[in-house]
Amino acid sequence: MREGAKPSFDYMGDGVARILVIDDEPVVTQTVRRYLERHGFEVAVASNGDEGIEVQKSDPADLIVTDILMPGKEGFETIRVLREITPGVPIVAISGGGRNEPHTYLKFAQRFGANRAFSKPLDMTVLVSSIRELLGEQQPDPV
């Protein structure tokens, strides 16, 4: 994100909000990607926290959706680093819970800086609505 810029629907100036989805489960990244693309977003995906951080550094997204439980750099550390490199970009945390209930991880994710937190399986309608709200988007859904 540009220095000093605040997140908005079209910060890149191309008319399309870019979303970065970080999750180690390919079925999740591909499902979320297809759904968000059908709703007018440009979507990039990463399979772990380190990869997601590199994608955000090289081609910043307007909003990030990240899983919490991933191998390597888990979601809490990923959120912390993303907050450092792109502090104004909204982050949505997602979790299936692993050994614990998802709400336990999601509460911590919000403490680490996530703007919203949702448990898996995702309600895609709620996810899109939250993304639009976080981006300040007022345009009608194209689908």
Side-chain angles (χ1 to χ4, degrees):
M1 176 167 257
R2 292 184 202 127
E3 190 89 16
K6 65 179 192 174
S8 66
F9 168 64
D10 187 20
Y11 96 86
M12 293 296 286
D14 60 5
V16 178
R18 179 174 156 80
I19 312 297
L20 170 59
V21 179
I22 307 169
D23 198 303
D24 61 314
E25 297 178 58
V27 69
V28 173
T29 56
Q30 293 312 309
T31 300
V32 172
R33 170 188 242 162
R34 282 192 300 273
Y35 195 85
L36 293 178
E37 286 175 343
R38 283 198 317 261
H39 287 270
F41 298 102
E42 178 185 329
V43 181
V45 297
S47 61
N48 61 59
D50 288 319
E51 185 181 328
I53 289 165
E54 289 308 310
V55 169
Q56 186 64 5
K57 284 179 180 177
S58 64
D59 192 8
D62 298 291
L63 183 140
I64 301 162
V65 176
T66 185
D67 190 19
I68 297 301
L69 301 177
M70 298 181 283
K73 190 178 299 297
E74 44 74 33
F76 301 124
E77 179 66 9
T78 299
I79 292 168
R80 188 190 65 73
V81 173
L82 290 168
R83 277 282 166 248
E84 289 177 7
I85 63 173
T86 50
V89 173
I91 298 173
V92 175
I94 59 176
S95 180
R99 294 181 193 176
N100 297 313
E101 290 295 314
H103 70 272
T104 302
Y105 294 111
L106 297 173
K107 285 180 188 176
F108 281 115
Q110 289 182 301
R111 289 185 186 146
F112 273 80
N115 299 86
R116 299 281 192 288
F118 299 107
S119 56
K120 296 178 188 175
L122 295 170
D123 180 329
M124 297 304 284
T125 303
V126 172
L127 178 64
V128 168
S129 175
S130 292
I131 288 171
R132 291 190 188 285
E133 179 185 331
L134 288 167
L135 292 173
E137 182 180 327
Q138 301 301 314
Q139 297 187 1
D141 196 339
V143 177

